């Protein structure tokens, strides 16, 4: 039995000490104390995703932002890279994809808050960290209070201020936060100066932030320190193992800092482990890794479970603001004067792709849905319902918690609670190093004066499992003491939706004094079997449930009021979206990513079901090249984590299941039932993938000689001249494929070193090979493709002696240059009027 005793309600937070926030009497006022953010007087739990507007076509912003919102993200963050807007001194460019004002307005129209990362230095794998080349030629000391530098910052901030005029919260706009600088660890006075300059320029928000990692010295009370954590680190050296600091993010605990982020640029900075000063600020994040970019010397694969387990650990450890970097991938711009990626050529330690900034993110470089999207969406659904309750809850660690990050034997768990109710968090997953299954597990939590044991019968926590279970939570007027199932959301009614996790049997225990009766279709099984409802002392225990679309329980409280509990199987829960449709708040289940757009539902085709999380052991790779996104299911060999493999013909994924069930009065296309759900089918007819013809024009020359950067000691990427010796292929694109507005992906299954794709001589895409298929969205290049008719590929072989890290699961393919297949993958959309 694993035990922990939770202290009583935590003491009051510190208030009034932070120089930010809005007047509390204002409707929807945003305020902040030492523990939580508040909005409209109640705790507020933002979910923030990074999406760089200037790295994505403006014509597609709205569609992508609706996808972001459908994933449960409530706020979007973006850098304003100086070199994209003033590449030539005094010549500002806010047009097209660089239109910051249009971006913020579009976010507001999509129902999203905005956090603007104004720099002036930003990083984001941008050239010079976002500084224009001309600035570095000036006689000044950047990133300090040097008056010569500040004289250059003022007009840039004034430009941003003009772009944001009328869009701040004071004017009813969506901007809730401003981040100053990035990874500046030793200039607190300069950060305060930047805040003053921004305010003078009209840049304003209720929340001001700065990155806190690397033991950053920040101006006290003036900014909220934001933290991060990544499953991998492309900025690390090409050593053959897992980055040391990444391991810490899979252990619960109060620590917030990760001094490895930005360490490749920071040099000798502050050090130590004292985080006592952080007790004055809420635990907030801005860079929980939604994936990872590839540098030339280090090209890791980040699986969906790596992303979701890390996120859950931060929730268990006390986060009150989940911020992902990146949540949506993009493409680097090529400027008028130079390429704009981080590189050795500009003195930085990492060579990055010229264009690719996919980041293996939940939404890819071309809007591809990845498995990490649905696994994070499940957490975000829960936060939308319970985030306000979770936010003020504090962390309690069990006495038998692992002593250090080398421990792979102890089960990792914790409790967050307000002293009366709470949530139990468990993580038995980490990348690279498989954790063992734990048998005969029960948790005993002393909470609010009583011992809560969950489950009543011991269970096995499989290797790879990660989940959260409720403790003493309300279900209408009844109290659910424990449940060995993960909360999904609460619908009007109320209906508490739970999900089975990791194959663990579902057991519900209610406070018997709050319950008069439990019945409903969820107690009956096919074949005559029946779930059991028993008294265990003063508790009412429901066991032997069969989770799924028919597992609905009616809970009649002692006062006669009625609530319901719906228990889904895990596979169905991973397809869940919550939306107000057909006149009511409903739960939608569809293996096709489902996006609400006004009075329409948009379902994206060619996306198949994510593999259920059944204990972390990777299933066989079921991808045959037909899935939307890149690659196979969770934990597959390419590791990228798309929405699984594709089945031939129509399957259950073509259905849309709706709860509460629709009626004739809903004016809906309801055609069938599945348990307590209505079923609408068929919805989506996939266009079959089309084999592309890749005509080899030129064979590759010998592998190039590896070049080691003298400053960083790391392998450098090929330069333009090296591609003269590349293998050249021509992929003809049929004009008929470009009819309509839907995306078509060119998917390349290849191995080698670096690939580049051009249309009519213009570089449009590239990839450092790392084992995942290379996908290129063709929709944005329609005009050029209709003119030139083909994509030219240039592929370089892998230098045998190159000190380059790739993930273990793909190393067998490292070396030989081979283009195994090229496939056109249409991504159709189906629209349903609601």
């Amino acid at each position: 039995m694993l035990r922990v005793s939770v202290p009583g309600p935590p003491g009051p937070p510190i208030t009034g000490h932070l120089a930010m926030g809005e007047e509390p009497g204002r409707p929807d006022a945003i305020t902040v104390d030492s523990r939580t953010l508040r909005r409209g007087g109640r705790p507020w739990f933002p979910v923030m995703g990074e999406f760089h507007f200037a790295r994505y076509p403006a014509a597609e912003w709205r569609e992508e932002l609706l996808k972001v919102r459908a994933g449960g993200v409530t706020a979007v963050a973006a850098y304003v890279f100086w070199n994209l807007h003033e590449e030539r001194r005094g010549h500002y460019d806010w047009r097209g994809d660089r239109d910051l004002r249009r971006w913020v307005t579009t976010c507001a129209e999509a129902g999203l808050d905005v956090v603007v990362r104004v720099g002036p230095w930003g990083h984001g794998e941008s050239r010079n960290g976002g500084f224009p080349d001309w600035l570095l030629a000036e006689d000044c000391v950047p990133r300090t209070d040097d008056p010569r530098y500040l004289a250059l910052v003022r007009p840039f901030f004034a430009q941003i201020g003009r772009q944001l005029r009328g869009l701040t919260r004071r004017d009813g706009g969506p901007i809730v936060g401003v981040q100053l600088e990035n990874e500046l660890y030793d200039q607190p006075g300069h950060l305060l100066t930047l805040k003053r300059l921004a305010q003078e320029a009209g840049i304003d928000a209720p929340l001001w932030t700065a990155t806190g990692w690397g033991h950053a010295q920040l101006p006290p009370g003036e900014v909220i320190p934001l933290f991060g954590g990544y499953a991998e680190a492309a900025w690390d050296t090409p050593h053959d193992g897992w980055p040391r600091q990444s391991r810490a993010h899979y252990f619960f605990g109060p620590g917030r800092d990760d001094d490895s982020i930005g360490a490749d640029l920071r040099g000798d900075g502050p050090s130590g482990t004292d985080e006592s000063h952080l007790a004055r600020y809420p635990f907030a994040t801005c860079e929980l890794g939604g994936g990872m970019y590839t540098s030339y010397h280090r090209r890791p694969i980040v699986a969906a479970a790596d992303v979701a387990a890390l996120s859950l650990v931060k929730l268990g450890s006390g986060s009150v603001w989940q911020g992902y970097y990146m949540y949506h991938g993009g493409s680097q711009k090529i400027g008028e004067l130079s390429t704009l990626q981080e590189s050795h050529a500009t003195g930085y330690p990492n060579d990055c792709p010229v264009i690719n900034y996919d980041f293996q993110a939940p939404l890819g470089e071309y809007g591809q849905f990845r498995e990490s999207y649905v696994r994070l969406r499940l957490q975000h659904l829960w936060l939308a319902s319970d985030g306000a309750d979770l936010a003020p809850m504090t962390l309690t660690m069990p006495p038998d918690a692992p002593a250090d990050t080398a421990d792979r034997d102890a089960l990792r768990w914790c409790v967050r609670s307000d002293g009366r109710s709470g949530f139990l968090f468990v993580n038995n997953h980490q990348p690279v190093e498989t954790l063992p299954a734990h048998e005969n597990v029960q948790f005993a939590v002393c909470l609010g004066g009583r011992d809560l044991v969950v489950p009543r019968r011991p269970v096995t926590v499989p290797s790879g499992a990660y989940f959260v279970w409720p403790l003493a939570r309300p279900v209408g007027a009844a109290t659910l003491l424990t449940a060995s199932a993960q909360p999904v959301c609460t619908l009007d009614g109320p209906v508490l939706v739970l999900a089975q996790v990791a194959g663990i049997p579902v057991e519900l225990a209610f406070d018997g004094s709050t319950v008069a009766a439990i019945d409903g279709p969820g107690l009956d099984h096919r074949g005559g079997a029946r779930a059991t409802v028993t008294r265990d002392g003063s508790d009412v225990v429901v066991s032997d449930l069969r989770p799924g679309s028919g597992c609905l329980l009616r809970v009649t409280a002692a006062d006669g009021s009625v609530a319901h509990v719906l228990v889904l199987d895990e596979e169905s829960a991973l397809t869940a979206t919550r939306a107000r449709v057909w006149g009511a708040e409903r739960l939608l289940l569809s293996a096709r990513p489902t996006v609400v757009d006004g009075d329409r539902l948009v379902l994206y085709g060619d996306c198949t079901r994510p593999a259920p999380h059944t204990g972390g052991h990777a299933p066989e790779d079921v991808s045959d090249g037909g899935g939307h996104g890149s690659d196979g299911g969770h934990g597959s060999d390419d590791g990228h984590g798309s929405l699984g493999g594709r089945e031939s013909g129509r399957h259950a994924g073509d259905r849309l299941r709706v709860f509460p069930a629709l009626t004739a009065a809903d004016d809906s296309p309801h055609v069938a039932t599945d348990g307590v759900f209505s079923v609408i089918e068929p919805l989506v007819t996939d266009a079959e993938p089309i084999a592309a013809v890749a005509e080899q024009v030129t064979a590759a020359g010998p592998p190039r000689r590896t070049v080691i950067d003298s400053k960083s000691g790391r392998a450098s990427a090929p330069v333009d001249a090296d591609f003269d010796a590349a293998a050249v292929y021509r992929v003809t694109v049929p004009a008929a494929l470009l009819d309509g507005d839907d995306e078509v992906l060119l998917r390349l299954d290849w191995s080698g070193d670096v690939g580049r794709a051009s249309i009519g001589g213009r570089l449009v895409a590239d990839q450092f090979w790392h084992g995942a298929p290379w996908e290129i969205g063709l929709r944005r290049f329609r005009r050029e493709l209709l003119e030139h008719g083909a994509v030219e590929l240039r592929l370089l072989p892998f230098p045998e002696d190159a000190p380059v890290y790739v993930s273990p699961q793909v190393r067998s393919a490292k070396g030989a240059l081979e283009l195994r297949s090229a496939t056109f993958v249409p991504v159709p959309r189906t629209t349903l009027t609601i």
Side-chain angles (χ1 to χ4, degrees), residues 73 88 154 160 190 242 282 329 373 457 558 612 721 829 833:
V73 171
R88 299 177 186 274
R154 282 191 180 91
I160 296 174
H190 179 53
W242 187 29
Y373 178 90
R457 290 179 283 189
R829 292 169 292 183
T833 301

Side-chain angles (χ1 to χ4, degrees), residues 762-816:
R762 183 173 78 90
L763 180 65
V764 297
D766 59 351
Q767 188 194 50
F768 293 166
W769 178 84
H770 59 286
W774 179 12
E775 292 184 334
I776 304 169
L778 302 181
R779 176 169 62 174
R780 67 186 62 174
F781 307 120
R782 178 182 287 111
R783 182 177 301 174
E784 293 161 276
L785 285 169
L786 290 175
E787 177 182 354
H788 299 286
V791 177
E792 180 188 87
L793 305 175
R794 290 181 175 264
L795 309 179
L796 287 174
F798 213 113
E800 292 184 8
D801 60 342
V804 170
Y805 171 90
V806 296
S807 293
Q809 63 267 43
V810 300
R811 287 177 188 169
S812 62
K814 178 181 175 182

Side-chain angles (χ1 to χ4, degrees), residues 34 297 500 581 627 752 814 825:
S34 63
H297 70 276
Q500 184 178 34
V581 292
K814 178 181 175 182
V825 184

Side-chain angles (χ1 to χ4, degrees), residues 700-716:
R704 72 185 185 99
R705 182 179 59 85
T706 299
V707 175
I708 302 299
D709 176 54
S710 59
K711 181 177 179 181
S712 66
R714 299 171 176 183
S716 295

Side-chain angles (χ1 to χ4, degrees), residues 215 257 259 270-275:
H215 311 285
D257 200 356
D259 59 10
S271 61
T273 59
D274 182 16
E275 295 189 1

Side-chain angles (χ1 to χ4, degrees), residues 246-267:
S246 293
R247 182 179 284 103
H249 297 300
Y250 294 88
F251 288 80
F252 298 104
R256 306 183 192 183
D257 200 356
D258 179 350
D259 59 10
S260 72
I261 305 176
D264 54 331
L265 295 173
R266 190 163 56 244

